[in-house]
Amino acid sequence: MNQLEQGKKIFRDKSNLLSNSPGVYQVFDSKKDVIYVGKAKNLPHRLLNYTSNNHQAIRTERMIASTSNIEVITTSNEAEALLLEANLIKKFKPKYNVLLKDDKSFPYIQIRKSHHWPQLTKFRGKHKTEDIYFGPFASAGSANWTIKMLQKTFQLRVCDDHTFNNRKRPCILFQIKRCSGPCTKEVEKKEYDLSVKECINFLDGKSKNIQEKFSNEMEIASKNLEFEKAAILRDRIKALTQIQTSQDIQKNNFHHADVIGFFRKENKSCVVVFFYRSKQNWGNQFFFPQHDYEETNEKILESFVAQFYENKEIPDQIIISEEPENLFLINEAFNKKSNKKIKISILKDNSLVKNAVKNAEENLKIKILSTTKNNELLKEFADKFDLDFTPSLIEVYDNSHIQGNSAVGAMIAFTEQGFQKNKYRKYNLKNATTKTNDDYGILSEVLRRRFLKFIKSTDEDLPDILLIDGGKGQYSTARKALDELGFHQLKIIAMSKGKERNKGEEKFITNKGTVDINKNDPIMFFLQRLRDEAHRFAIMTHRKKRSKSLFKSPLDEIEGIGNKRKKLLLNYFGSAKSIEGASIEDIKKVDGINESIAKKIYNFFHKDKISL
């Protein structure tokens, strides 16, 4: 019995054990990895479809032939199965499903009505019923810019509660007219609450009344010769206009809707989502779903829509350029999930939808051109280094430290799709080599840690080529580390800097010797770009680690001393140095510090003396 027939037998045997109920089935391969997740109105009937002798799609036959086990989860209805399917696909990322990549939690603007003095802030995560949220915004930058403009207009606080509760005088935001100073009672509560209400009304789309109010107040202030007040009101009106202009507020915009445009070419697809809230365009985001060439547009859109809204608040209306498969089922599932009526419309001739499709088409062209260019570069790269294959995954390694302090190793990845930031890795160095300028020791530790994971059957793909920033010494170190772990065939290229570290004079060390590349060769620019990206990532990681170390306190190393006790101790003594010079009796005077904890703190700072 061949593998395909064996797989069909597994589907047939499983179907005989199931009752006629809706649910989700998970297909596992011999490594116990989930390779496909599907939903069904009738589970046994759906599984029996895979056992048909009729011609199946090649992708489906590959999936059946790889099947080792099937697990099912029954649900009360098909709509519930659709939501569960989307959840499991996002969790396991099965290789035979249509996958939504680069999904993320979009930022919202939050007004914390739960606080006595509401705070204006950017927010990601689960929404609280007592607070008010506006969004989603397409990017953090868009949300930050809008918050900045709202500060200028309504002067709400943006500081966190700790800062707010501990201010003795207003901060610089009060001085530059971006905050009304509620922390030190520079504004009355009644006036502040009015500003909060006006901010909420503006974000709800009621901007006309607010602008008229500011305009009337500015006119009155001018007549009364209160020119400073008039100037402040003028700046507020200007900030409101900037927000409206940037967010393209128009009468024909949708009030609370997402517009989804779809375009497909050369077996690649692009989906764009425009967010419209209160007739304001709050930006858009592009997605490139991973799918097989045999998948229909309807199936791709069904998978996209179900996965996209799996972890997001669903707007009142969803407008799509093409009809997805099982539209009625999606609508039913979303109504149930949101506990409200969701309207899903297919509008091909609407101007906003046409614009979305046009954007999807243009970005897909850019994506295809970029992929084609990267493919050509990878082929030229293979020719230049006399490889007998075209690499599909290149990993580039670099490290960063200052005299061995805060040392980090960094790895970036490049494929035909470009830089794969989800594959980037950073390594906080652990061994004694990190206390010196031992770049070889750092490189050796990073490679050992990286490739030990592959030995332990990691889910990640093994790279085709390693690009190391360094010369012959780094090449020998890397070769030795990989050989010790059994990766003898893995290719390594070390990229040494030229004389006086000039770009364009780099040398490349391989197992066949040194390779010279003309400084104007496109491959030279390509390799420099890879090296520079690895260097940028290493420097950024190092700076973050170093920044954290600057704020580290010796108290962090004492077991039983959490943030609350650390704060009490530092507020009482002023510094860790003062705590070190304190007696046990002095330490006990701090609220929340008993004798046992006081002794532990004292012994920590005097352990060398105790051992003597």
Side-chain angles (χ1 to χ4, degrees):
M1 186 182 295
N2 61 34
Q3 287 183 314
L4 179 61
E5 291 303 318
Q6 180 65 36
K8 287 183 178 182
K9 184 177 184 302
I10 294 171
F11 275 91
R12 189 180 300 108
D13 292 346
K14 193 71 177 182
S15 68
N16 293 333
L17 301 175
L18 301 175
S19 59
N20 295 326
S21 59
V24 170
Y25 56 96
Q26 301 174 74
V27 181
F28 294 82
D29 63 10
S30 57
K31 295 179 181 178
K32 298 184 179 179
D33 293 329
V34 179
I35 58 174
Y36 186 76
V37 175
K39 66 178 181 305
K41 185 176 182 179
N42 185 306
L43 280 168
H45 288 179
R46 182 72 187 93
L47 295 185
L48 273 176
N49 286 343
Y50 290 100
T51 66
S52 169
N53 290 325
N54 295 332
H55 179 69
Q56 304 258 21
I58 295 173
R59 179 183 61 88
T60 305
E61 289 187 346
R62 288 202 305 264
M63 183 270 289
I64 296 171
S66 302
T67 301
S68 175
N69 185 32
I70 300 169
E71 291 183 4
V72 299
I73 304 172
T74 58
T75 57
S76 56
N77 53 60
E78 196 179 1
E80 188 179 323
L82 174 72
L83 297 175
L84 179 58
E85 178 195 37
N87 180 284
L88 292 173
I89 289 173
K90 292 189 75 171
K91 180 179 179 181
F92 294 114
K93 296 180 173 54
K95 64 187 292 185
Y96 290 107
N97 281 98
V98 176
L99 298 180
L100 169 58
K101 285 192 168 186
D102 304 320
D103 190 19
K104 62 185 75 176
S105 173
F106 292 97
Y108 283 74
I109 286 178
Q110 176 193 39
I111 296 180
R112 290 182 57 224
K113 291 277 286 183
S114 54
H115 195 278
H116 185 64
W117 297 90
Q119 175 197 19
L120 174 68
T121 184
K122 182 179 67 180
F123 182 84
R124 297 179 194 264
K126 188 176 181 181
H127 293 183
K128 299 177 182 177
T129 53
E130 60 268 31
D131 295 329
I132 299 176
Y133 301 87
F134 299 94
F137 286 81
S139 66
S142 175
N144 289 336
W145 185 88
T146 303
I147 288 172
K148 181 181 175 181
M149 292 297 107
L150 292 174
Q151 281 180 266
K152 288 183 177 181
T153 307
F154 302 105
Q155 299 187 3
L156 304 186
R157 76 176 181 97
V158 294
C159 57
D160 58 39
D161 291 348
H162 175 75
T163 303
F164 180 84
N165 294 329
N166 290 281
R167 294 296 305 182
K168 303 299 181 188
R169 55 178 182 158
C171 68
I172 192 172
L173 290 178
F174 175 77
Q175 306 297 333
I176 63 175
K177 309 299 182 187
R178 286 196 190 172
C179 181
S180 54
C183 54
T184 54
K185 307 298 187 292
E186 306 296 327
V187 60
E188 292 184 3
K189 182 71 169 67
K190 185 177 179 181
E191 185 180 348
Y192 188 83
D193 286 344
L194 178 61
S195 294
V196 172
K197 184 179 179 182
E198 288 176 340
C199 184
I200 292 169
N201 286 339
F202 174 77
L203 290 169
D204 268 333
K206 303 168 186 173
S207 57
K208 187 177 180 181
N209 294 339
I210 296 169
Q211 283 185 303
E212 287 178 356
K213 174 179 175 289
F214 285 167
S215 184
N216 292 334
E217 289 178 1
M218 182 177 69
E219 191 175 334
I220 293 169
S222 296
K223 287 180 180 178
N224 294 336
L225 305 181
E226 296 174 323
F227 298 118
E228 184 178 353
K229 182 179 179 181
I232 292 171
L233 288 163
R234 178 202 63 203
D235 292 341
R236 290 186 178 186
I237 294 170
K238 185 179 178 181
L240 283 178
T241 304
Q242 281 183 285
I243 295 174
Q244 291 173 318
T245 302
S246 71
Q247 294 176 349
D248 191 24
I249 298 176
Q250 298 177 11
K251 288 183 179 179
N252 65 336
N253 281 0
F254 298 106
H255 185 265
H256 192 263
D258 288 349
V259 175
I260 300 175
F262 175 80
F263 189 82
R264 182 176 184 177
K265 185 180 181 181
E266 296 182 17
N267 194 41
K268 295 187 184 295
S269 301
C270 178
V271 183
V272 61
V273 184
F274 280 83
F275 307 106
Y276 289 94
R277 301 295 184 269
S278 304
K279 292 188 176 293
Q280 303 172 40
N281 178 359
W282 280 353
N284 59 279
Q285 197 65 247
F286 294 95
F287 302 89
F288 302 92
Q290 179 182 313
H291 59 80
D292 195 82
Y293 72 94
E294 294 171 325
E295 290 290 5
T296 63
N297 291 358
E298 293 80 6
K299 182 61 180 178
I300 294 168
L301 274 170
E302 180 204 22
S303 298
F304 174 84
V305 172
Q307 292 177 52
F308 183 75
Y309 291 106
E310 186 270 332
N311 61 344
K312 295 177 183 66
E313 181 181 335
I314 304 174
D316 296 340
Q317 190 176 9
I318 300 171
I319 297 98
I320 313 177
S321 61
E322 296 184 30
E323 183 171 338
E325 194 173 293
N326 296 312
L327 177 60
F328 176 78
L329 181 61
I330 294 171
N331 215 152
E332 184 183 348
F334 284 4
N335 290 342
K336 183 177 180 180
K337 180 181 178 181
S338 303
N339 291 318
K340 64 179 181 181
K341 185 71 174 176
I342 305 295
K343 183 180 180 182
I344 302 180
S345 307
I346 311 303
L347 301 177
K348 296 183 179 181
D349 297 326
N350 179 277
S351 60
L352 295 177
V353 177
K354 285 182 177 179
N355 180 60
V357 174
K358 183 180 178 182
N359 274 271
E361 180 181 0
E362 290 175 350
N363 274 269
L364 184 60
K365 285 179 181 176
I366 293 170
K367 183 79 170 177
I368 291 171
L369 285 172
S370 175
T371 301
T372 302
K373 184 178 179 181
N374 288 335
N375 265 325
E376 291 173 357
L377 283 170
L378 289 169
K379 288 177 182 177
E380 289 181 31
F381 171 82
D383 291 339
K384 193 69 67 175
F385 288 94
D386 195 24
L387 303 176
D388 54 2
F389 63 93
T390 300
S392 58
L393 174 59
I394 300 175
E395 290 188 353
V396 191
Y397 290 81
D398 197 3
N399 65 67
S400 181
H401 59 85
I402 296 178
Q403 298 296 311
N405 293 321
S406 302
V408 295
M411 182 276 287
I412 67 154
F414 185 89
T415 70
E416 65 174 20
Q417 303 298 326
F419 291 108
Q420 301 296 299
K421 297 197 174 182
N422 62 322
K423 293 180 180 290
Y424 285 20
R425 297 291 180 268
K426 54 188 176 183
Y427 297 88
N428 289 312
L429 281 301
K430 301 174 181 178
N431 295 338
T433 56
T434 63
K435 297 178 181 178
T436 69
N437 289 339
D438 185 6
D439 285 339
Y440 299 149
I442 293 173
L443 176 60
S444 180
E445 180 181 338
V446 168
L447 291 176
R448 286 186 64 81
R449 286 168 60 183
R450 172 68 176 155
F451 286 88
L452 274 170
K453 286 193 173 183
F454 289 110
I455 294 174
K456 296 174 183 176
S457 70
T458 178
D459 292 332
E460 295 184 67
D461 296 323
L462 193 68
D464 301 304
I465 293 281
L466 264 59
L467 183 62
I468 309 293
D469 184 25
K472 291 182 179 180
Q474 279 81 2
Y475 177 87
S476 298
T477 300
R479 185 72 275 163
K480 181 181 178 183
L482 293 181
D483 287 348
E484 287 176 352
L485 295 171
F487 295 93
H488 305 282
Q489 303 302 318
L490 191 54
K491 303 287 186 182
I492 301 172
I493 298 173
M495 185 175 181
S496 67
K497 297 177 178 65
K499 294 177 181 178
E500 299 180 1
R501 306 175 75 87
N502 289 333
K503 272 194 173 185
E505 296 183 3
E506 290 88 347
K507 303 289 183 183
F508 300 90
I509 294 93
T510 72
N511 62 323
K512 298 177 182 178
T514 302
V515 176
D516 293 325
I517 299 176
N518 188 287
K519 65 179 181 180
N520 294 320
D521 193 310
I523 294 302
M524 176 64 85
F525 299 138
F526 170 62
L527 292 168
Q528 286 170 349
R529 186 157 63 102
L530 296 183
R531 191 261 318 277
D532 292 347
E533 172 65 6
H535 190 61
R536 180 202 65 79
F537 184 59
I539 290 290
M540 180 194 72
T541 305
H542 166 71
R543 283 175 179 165
K544 284 184 179 179
K545 183 178 180 181
R546 190 162 170 248
S547 177
K548 285 182 180 179
S549 68
L550 291 175
F551 297 98
K552 192 174 181 180
S553 167
L555 296 174
D556 294 328
E557 300 177 30
I558 307 175
E559 188 180 350
I561 303 298
N563 289 331
K564 188 174 180 181
R565 281 179 172 155
K566 183 171 76 170
K567 182 179 175 182
L568 290 168
L569 286 162
L570 291 173
N571 285 344
Y572 186 88
F573 288 102
S575 68
K577 189 73 176 175
S578 298
I579 299 172
E580 183 180 354
S583 66
I584 293 175
E585 293 302 317
D586 289 334
I587 298 171
K588 282 169 57 180
K589 293 176 183 177
V590 180
D591 290 339
I593 305 296
N594 56 33
E595 186 167 357
S596 173
I597 295 294
K599 284 181 178 178
K600 184 180 288 188
I601 295 168
Y602 181 86
N603 291 340
F604 173 82
F605 284 109
H606 298 83
K607 53 191 173 187
D608 293 336
K609 295 177 182 178
I610 292 170
S611 62
L612 292 173

